[in-house]
Amino acid sequence: MVTLDLRRLRFLREFEERGTLGAVATALGYSPSAVSQQLTVLEREVGTPLLERAGRGVRLTDAGRLLAQHARVLLAAAEAATSDLAAIGEQVRGTVRAGGVQSAARHLLVPSLGRMATEHPLVRMEVSELELEQALPGLRLGSVDLVISDDYDGHPRPRPAGMRFEPLLSERLLIVLPADHPLAAPGGPVALADLRDTVWVSSDETTGHHAMIVGNCRALGGYEPDVRHHSNDADVQLAVVRHAAAVALLPLLNLPPEDPTLAYRPVAETDLGRRLFTVTRDGPLSPALTAFLQVVTDQAAGLGDGFPRGGQQR
């Protein structure tokens, strides 16, 4: 009879998801050789090869893929059992590992930590700044429990199978100009078409934010924007607007409440928005994660019309 070690099955499941020993090692905090040793032990335990050479690396054999599928089921069952046991106690306990895009981390995740510490002191909280694409492997494998991600009008993110997506917050996008920009003076909406000759700043070229700016300038303005500057940090983008006379298009959560050097203007052609949503694994949620989701949802509801709306809007 074969006895399967859940810890070694997690190594196999990680390899199925991430594809290389190095990526598994980075994710789990081991050396690649240690990961290889654990998988070799698992091969001995089941009595069949699970990995085979493929060029300079290795890949799963048919038996390895089959066992990885069973590992997925067994690990999910172990997680469900842990959640059920945690629910028996009178106090909520456990660990929640949460991540989110920068504005969500700043305005939703981090402000929720204090209430969690007060109401659920036995819950260990771990918060990171994460993009959904970074977090998906961890979400699937259980090393991340919750991600707050976003998408933009006309540029929805993919919804991978096995994940639960729930809406959290909708907000408006505003054009951000230097306060002394000629188009800032009238105080009303600004047409993207009038920013044809302007230098733009956006997030990295691989992000939905960059795709949103380029797509809207093409569709609404009829031109290819001159995006010279890139940063995933909204504060850096705002600094570029101040010092390089560039233009940005940012959600309200990213905008400081008062800044006389900046002007915020609606888009004239149409209302553009961003939606924040929570992403968790399909299946039962632990009591700790359920409690944190409620706190985050309350935090989002509390923002309401209190979004930052500063900058010069004369």
Side-chain angles (χ1 to χ4, degrees):
M1 179 179 177
V2 175
T3 300
L4 296 174
D5 184 295
L6 286 178
R7 187 169 63 91
R8 294 192 185 100
L9 288 177
R10 182 169 294 282
F11 279 94
L12 183 68
R13 178 74 181 93
E14 290 272 353
F15 183 82
E16 179 194 34
E17 181 69 33
R18 301 184 190 276
T20 68
L21 296 175
V24 175
T26 299
L28 298 182
Y30 289 81
S31 67
S33 62
V35 173
S36 179
Q37 289 169 8
Q38 290 297 317
L39 292 174
T40 298
V41 172
L42 183 59
E43 286 183 321
R44 288 201 301 267
E45 289 175 343
V46 300
T48 189
L50 302 175
L51 300 175
E52 62 185 4
R53 284 286 170 191
R56 295 183 179 181
V58 293
R59 65 187 176 195
L60 291 174
T61 63
D62 288 344
R65 285 189 290 274
L66 178 62
L67 185 57
Q69 292 173 11
H70 286 292
R72 195 179 313 161
V73 174
L74 291 170
L75 291 168
E79 182 177 355
T82 301
S83 296
D84 289 345
L85 288 170
I88 293 175
E90 294 182 0
Q91 286 188 293
V92 176
R93 62 181 70 228
T95 299
V96 175
R97 296 160 292 255
V101 294
Q102 184 192 55
S103 56
R106 176 178 295 173
H107 294 284
L108 296 172
L109 293 176
V110 172
S112 297
L113 294 178
R115 179 174 158 190
M116 282 297 293
T118 300
E119 297 183 3
H120 305 290
L122 299 181
V123 175
R124 173 186 170 91
M125 293 300 310
E126 300 177 7
V127 168
S128 304
E129 185 179 326
L130 286 173
E131 292 285 340
L132 180 59
E133 291 77 10
Q134 290 176 279
L136 272 176
L139 270 170
R140 290 193 183 102
L141 295 163
S143 58
V144 176
D145 302 303
L146 165 69
V147 173
I148 299 179
S149 191
D150 61 0
D151 59 21
Y152 297 89
D153 287 344
H155 298 272
R157 288 184 185 264
R159 278 7 184 207
M163 298 289 134
R164 181 187 293 125
F165 293 77
E166 297 291 345
L168 184 62
L169 187 68
S170 295
E171 57 177 333
R172 197 179 192 185
L173 295 174
L174 293 179
I175 294 170
V176 185
L177 304 160
D180 57 359
H181 192 286
L183 291 177
V190 171
L192 289 178
D194 292 336
L195 298 171
R196 174 184 299 270
D197 299 321
T198 303
V199 173
W200 285 82
V201 56
S202 81
S203 297
D204 185 80
E205 292 181 354
T206 62
T207 63
H209 180 258
H210 176 85
M212 176 272 297
I213 288 177
V214 172
N216 281 305
C217 286
R218 289 171 179 169
L220 301 176
Y223 62 93
E224 195 72 19
D226 182 7
V227 186
R228 298 187 193 178
H229 311 292
H230 299 88
S231 174
N232 291 341
D233 187 324
D235 289 340
V236 173
Q237 290 192 38
L238 294 173
V240 171
V241 173
R242 293 186 194 98
H243 299 290
V247 172
L249 183 58
L250 290 170
L252 283 166
L253 277 181
N254 288 122
L255 303 180
E258 294 295 337
D259 192 328
T261 68
L262 300 173
Y264 310 151
R265 298 290 181 266
V267 177
E269 290 91 346
T270 187
D271 281 336
L272 293 177
R274 176 180 80 151
R275 286 156 302 285
L276 294 176
F277 49 88
T278 61
V279 189
T280 56
R281 289 181 297 283
D282 273 343
L285 304 180
S286 70
L289 179 54
T290 299
F292 187 59
L293 276 170
Q294 185 60 59
V295 172
V296 169
T297 301
D298 291 347
Q299 177 69 19
L303 289 175
D305 290 332
F307 284 133
R309 301 183 190 278
Q312 294 191 24
Q313 301 189 58
R314 58 185 184 277

